[in-house]
Amino acid sequence: LRTDIPAFAAHIASTISNVTGNGTVYKAVFATERYDQGSNFDGASTFTAPVAGKYQFNIRLYLSGQVSAIGAAVDLVTSNYTYGMVFQGFNTSANADGWTFSQAVDMDLNDTAYVNITVSGEAGDVIDLNNTARNHFSGHLIA
């Protein structure tokens, strides 16, 4: 086991209700750490790079509550750049939908990374992050 390589994995602690839907940007909170090798994840939302290098981040989201949502933007926000993914065509008949997003990024010492979620098309913020087993944020140093 390489304990010298920064790595973390976290998921939501319980359903987080009414976070977005009407264009509101929600900074995702992944409060349950599965592991945090090097203690570089703050236990809520933000990873801080302990060394400069290339990092791989993985995001899995499962949203529910949508009625008329037209799209979602998931952003991996780092100090150097924002990596975005847009998802169109919510499954409103199932009232839930899920996505996976992965990205390799360059980070300098003490750069940060976190996840923003924005859903549009609802009359209000009715979108939930639902089911702890399906909402994850993880990352590790790759080079």
Side-chain angles (χ1 to χ4, degrees):
L1 179 62
R2 295 281 312 265
T3 58
D4 59 321
I5 298 174
F8 76 97
H11 60 84
I12 65 172
S14 60
T15 296
I16 304 171
S17 300
N18 303 324
V19 296
T20 186
N22 192 24
T24 300
V25 177
Y26 171 68
K27 185 177 182 179
V29 174
F30 301 91
T32 301
E33 290 182 1
R34 299 200 45 186
Y35 57 86
D36 186 4
Q37 197 166 283
S39 300
N40 302 298
F41 185 69
D42 69 0
S45 60
T46 305
F47 172 80
T48 302
V51 297
K54 307 296 184 266
Y55 289 80
Q56 174 71 39
F57 291 100
N58 308 294
I59 303 160
R60 169 71 171 122
L61 297 173
Y62 185 76
L63 307 179
S64 65
Q66 56 267 28
V67 176
S68 60
I70 56 173
V74 178
D75 292 322
L76 173 62
V77 181
T78 71
S79 299
N80 292 331
Y81 191 77
T82 297
Y83 301 85
M85 191 68 151
V86 176
F87 301 95
Q88 298 293 330
F90 264 98
N91 186 350
T92 53
S93 62
N95 197 31
D97 224 334
W99 304 279
T100 302
F101 174 40
S102 296
Q103 184 69 51
V105 307
D106 66 308
M107 296 185 82
D108 301 315
L109 175 66
N110 294 322
D111 278 356
T112 59
Y114 60 89
V115 177
N116 278 344
I117 305 165
T118 309
V119 175
S120 301
E122 297 288 352
D125 290 336
V126 297
I127 304 297
D128 307 330
L129 268 74
N130 199 347
N131 189 325
T132 58
R134 295 182 179 166
N135 289 279
H136 302 273
F137 181 36
S138 65
H140 61 277
L141 179 67
I142 55 175

